[in-house]
Amino acid sequence: MTVSLDTPLDSRQREGRQRLKRTLTRAAGFVGKMARNPLTAIGGGIVVLLLIVAAFAPWIAPYNPLVQDLNNALVAPNGQHWFGTDEFGRDIFSRLVYGSRITLYIVLLVSVTVGPLGLLLGVTAGYFGGKVDAVLMRVTDIFISFPSLVLALAFVAALGPGLEHVVIAITLTAWPPIARLARAETLSLRQADFISAVRLQGASPVRVLWRHVVPLCLPSVIIRITMNMAGIILTAAGLGFLGLGAQPPEPEWGAMISSGRTYMMECWWVVTIPGLAILINSLAFNFLGDGLRDILDPRSE
């Protein structure tokens, strides 16, 4: 009689396949929930399309976005130039495609920076309270008291034009709402019974925050960051329009509107098409954020 026993490696492989299957099942359910909301599906589709366009820009753009062709300046949309050309004869469609990389660079870098910063400050203030809460919230109130675009302008003016400085400026203006949200979530959690039980077991404040408070605050923070992405796009475009973002000849959408505003009455496409790109992508992130709120926030059910 032969007895077959699984080796530890076989057991680990089977557990890994089961975890992968559970992950794929949860991901499919998550996508299914988003697809049931038409606006969320539209927003998610536009965001995915933006990611694809940015990733494959060299293969999608028919022309070099930086090469000038003055003989074809201000050509209306046609079969060769789908969105027309600008005042230097550069293909606007190609510049939009490459400009999506700049927009996503700013949005993603600000999001991955501002999320942890706001979450850390918010949960720290909400959990410890007292003087720590007072100091952190007064600093937060100072930043919130100024309009974000005005404060970003001040920071960029101090740091100087450039994409990296735009990212720093927007990050410094975007973290306060996330910190306030994380603080409010933490205030409602710190007196919960399970938090008291963890403390009685001897868990340190850092362990309580990292293992129990932060995971429960993450869904609300993710929703807020997603909805903030529209504001990040608009702020970046505003700074680019004022000449404080990406510098010429980089194809940044706000800078494209700024350079084409002189010709907007005769050549509408020079300003309208980059403006529509900003509008559509901002709406897409708002729709996506609304859908994530409906799915991730149990109180919305």
Side-chain angles (χ1 to χ4, degrees):
M1 180 177 181
T2 304
V3 178
S4 175
L5 297 175
D6 289 340
T7 65
L9 180 60
D10 294 335
S11 178
R12 285 196 297 270
Q13 289 177 343
R14 186 164 57 251
E15 290 176 0
R17 287 194 294 267
Q18 291 174 351
R19 283 197 298 269
L20 178 61
K21 184 178 180 180
R22 288 194 296 268
T23 301
L24 292 176
T25 301
R26 286 196 294 266
F30 182 81
V31 173
K33 289 180 180 179
M34 292 186 65
R36 285 194 286 270
N37 186 327
L39 290 179
T40 304
I42 292 172
I46 293 174
V47 171
V48 171
L49 179 62
L50 179 66
L51 293 171
I52 293 174
V53 168
F56 298 99
W59 294 274
I60 296 175
Y63 300 94
N64 188 317
L66 305 181
V67 173
Q68 300 181 10
D69 183 7
L70 297 180
N71 293 325
N72 287 318
L74 299 175
V75 172
N78 55 40
Q80 291 185 333
H81 302 282
W82 296 345
F83 293 164
T85 61
D86 63 8
E87 68 274 20
F88 296 108
R90 297 172 297 196
D91 183 64
I92 292 179
F93 175 74
S94 299
R95 289 178 65 78
L96 283 179
V97 169
Y98 276 89
S100 65
R101 289 185 162 186
I102 298 175
T103 299
L104 279 179
Y105 171 80
I106 296 174
V107 168
L108 295 178
L109 198 55
V110 170
S111 298
V112 301
T113 305
V114 78
L117 176 61
L119 182 61
L120 173 64
L121 296 177
V123 298
T124 301
Y127 184 81
F128 291 103
K131 293 183 178 179
V132 174
D133 183 29
V135 171
L136 291 178
M137 286 302 101
R138 296 301 75 76
V139 174
T140 303
D141 290 340
I142 292 172
F143 278 86
I144 290 180
S145 63
F146 294 94
S148 59
L149 181 57
V150 174
L151 196 57
L153 281 171
F155 283 123
V156 175
L159 296 172
L163 276 182
E164 291 75 15
H165 294 165
V166 167
V167 170
I168 295 173
I170 298 177
T171 299
L172 292 175
T173 61
W175 67 266
I178 296 174
R180 296 294 292 268
L181 176 63
R183 174 182 178 270
E185 294 279 345
T186 305
L187 287 174
S188 65
L189 290 171
R190 70 177 183 178
Q191 301 301 331
D193 292 339
F194 72 94
I195 295 293
S196 301
V198 171
R199 288 202 205 99
L200 290 175
Q201 292 175 359
S204 65
V206 174
R207 181 178 177 83
V208 173
L209 288 175
W210 179 251
R211 295 293 300 274
H212 302 282
V213 176
V214 169
L216 292 173
C217 294
L218 271 179
S220 298
V221 171
I222 291 173
I223 294 167
R224 184 57 190 254
I225 291 174
T226 304
M227 300 188 74
N228 277 1
M229 288 179 179
I232 294 170
I233 292 175
L234 294 174
T235 303
L239 294 174
F241 181 84
L242 296 173
L244 299 175
Q247 298 301 296
E250 292 297 323
E252 197 273 326
W253 294 346
M256 291 172 63
I257 296 175
S258 177
S259 63
R261 71 185 187 276
T262 306
Y263 312 96
M264 63 182 297
M265 300 304 295
E266 299 84 10
C267 307
W268 56 268
W269 59 88
V270 179
V271 172
T272 303
I273 293 176
L276 286 175
I278 296 171
L279 174 64
I280 291 171
N281 285 284
S282 299
L283 287 175
F285 279 111
N286 275 327
F287 292 157
L288 183 61
D290 285 337
L292 290 176
R293 180 183 58 194
D294 295 338
I295 295 171
L296 297 178
D297 189 357
R299 290 170 297 185
S300 64
E301 297 180 355

